[in-house]
Amino acid sequence: MNYKVLYRKYRPDSFEGLVGQNHVVEILKNSIKENRIAHAYLFSGPRGTGKTSTARILAKAINCLDNKNGIACGKCANCLSFSGNPDIIEIDAASNNGVDEIRELINNIKIMPTSLKYKVYIIDEVHMLSQSAFNALLLTLEEPPEHVIFILATTNIESVPITILSRCQRFDFKRISNADLLKQLKFVCDSESIDYDESGLMEIANLADGGLRDALSILDQLSKNEEKITTDLVVREIGSISNQKIEDLVNSIANADVENFENIMQSFQENSLNYKVIIKKIIYVLSKVAVDIIKGTNSINIDYDKCKNITLDLNNLINKININVDPYLLIKITLLGYMDISSKTVSSENKIEIKEEKVIEISEVKKEEEKVKEEPKVNIAKTVEVSKNIGSSVSDKLVDIRINNCFVNASKVYLKSLQDAWKNFISNVESAVIKGLISDTMVVTASDKYAILVTTINHQELEINEKIDEIKRLFDKFNGNSYTLVFIGEAKWNQEKQKYIENLQKHYKYTYISEDIEDNSQENKDSEDELTAIAADLFDIDKIEIE
């Protein structure tokens, strides 16, 4: 069997051949050049990024009899005998992870090298060693014989004990960029006379997720068909996803086209496409849309905040998906939450249905809209109803008042000062209950008397508001100033921020509103009327009801 798979055929055997790890290569070359060789190295990083190849190249370079600038000559006796040399011992820790294997290794390191200057032990996937094996290795790893060098490699640095890490020089290998992957794929295709489109190779680079070995394996698989490597071929044979399909999905979200959205998601699921690739491509398309929004050239009916929030939700999702749960359903539910279907007609008979199951003819709605446009002033109801959060000491109305009052005198100076104070408060608060509630909150707007804080956990603001008086008391004591606080969720903050910007454009001037809204007596009628008028102007609504 003469055929050798591409990733083995093009495995680098010198520092110059390593792709995308220049930061590692330069340090290693300089240490060899200056003869400052460590006794133990640890290479960590994703699969297929060159850790084991670098270990072999390093072992060859430090044993070279005539290395120049840290690079093995490839011609001396040691270089020519390097492949298969008994002084280079490679151990797979996944299958040799017991304490007995490590004890045998420790016994053997005392034996001098047979032909090379250094005996090099390369332990791959070192995180797979058992705890007892790690313990047995500790002393030897700290003070090995002068003729022994250890090179450890791992894809899971978190599982390597700190006692091992502290005894090694650590090098972190990064995912190889798509540009570097594309360049190497072109080189291999040209060398192997493989016909390709650059877009097809870029699709392979996307699928490889920063791993050159994966990229070459995919290329090897596709080249067997003797077809030109195109995007369509990659999509058809490997199960990739076309960028056009992802753009159609994003458009479906922007236009609340549930039917098309469902068809696209169903096609992903039926073809068993990699859910991580789906998420990454959606984020990639949204990043381009976000840039277009900032530049003012966006043609999709979606705003920047929605782009950002979808991206953050998908990023959280990709790290939390459980293999026992269908990832396509999780992606679908997450994305459906960003569809604005409030303006879509839900009846085919030219009717609009509301919660009280009353039906209003569209023609009557239009008449009412025209009537409102003709009136010089909006007639706002005198009595207003506020729905309170169950179990919360802060009503929805009081939240809106405090947001308004904070905007009256808000400034960046107050914001920066209070952000620092709030971070220090979270770090120093003694109550475990309070600390647990507010640890995921941040100050987003502040004035001399008010502060708006956002919680990043859904609906956490309801629980926080139940203890707002205690939180305020503790914070005032810590900060030395009295502040009125209001906690809201990210969704409401995005709405309030947008309203604030619109009001600035309208030259609306914010004024303080009394917080004494719980008393329904006649003496509070004037402040209620003031609140009603300001809220109608601020939130652009025709009618508000107060309890």
Side-chain angles (χ1 to χ4, degrees), residues 42 126-127 134 152 154 156-165:
L42 177 64
V126 70
H127 64 273
F134 274 127
L152 316 181
T154 178
N156 187 4
I157 191 69
E158 291 81 9
S159 298
V160 180
I162 189 66
T163 49
I164 295 291
L165 296 178

Side-chain angles (χ1 to χ4, degrees), residues 422-477:
W422 186 254
K423 287 178 183 177
N424 290 333
F425 173 60
I426 292 175
S427 300
N428 292 280
V429 66
E430 294 180 356
S431 170
V433 174
I434 298 299
K435 191 165 190 170
L437 283 175
I438 65 175
S439 59
D440 292 294
T441 62
M442 56 185 173
V443 181
V444 292
T445 302
S447 66
D448 55 336
K449 299 177 181 178
Y450 286 85
I452 302 173
L453 298 98
V454 167
T455 173
T456 57
I457 300 177
N458 288 341
H459 308 304
Q460 180 84 345
E461 68 274 13
L462 303 180
E463 193 174 350
I464 295 174
N465 282 330
E466 291 180 6
K467 303 222 177 245
I468 195 165
D469 292 337
E470 184 179 355
I471 294 171
K472 171 180 166 51
R473 179 181 61 79
L474 292 172
F475 181 60
D476 287 349
K477 183 178 178 181

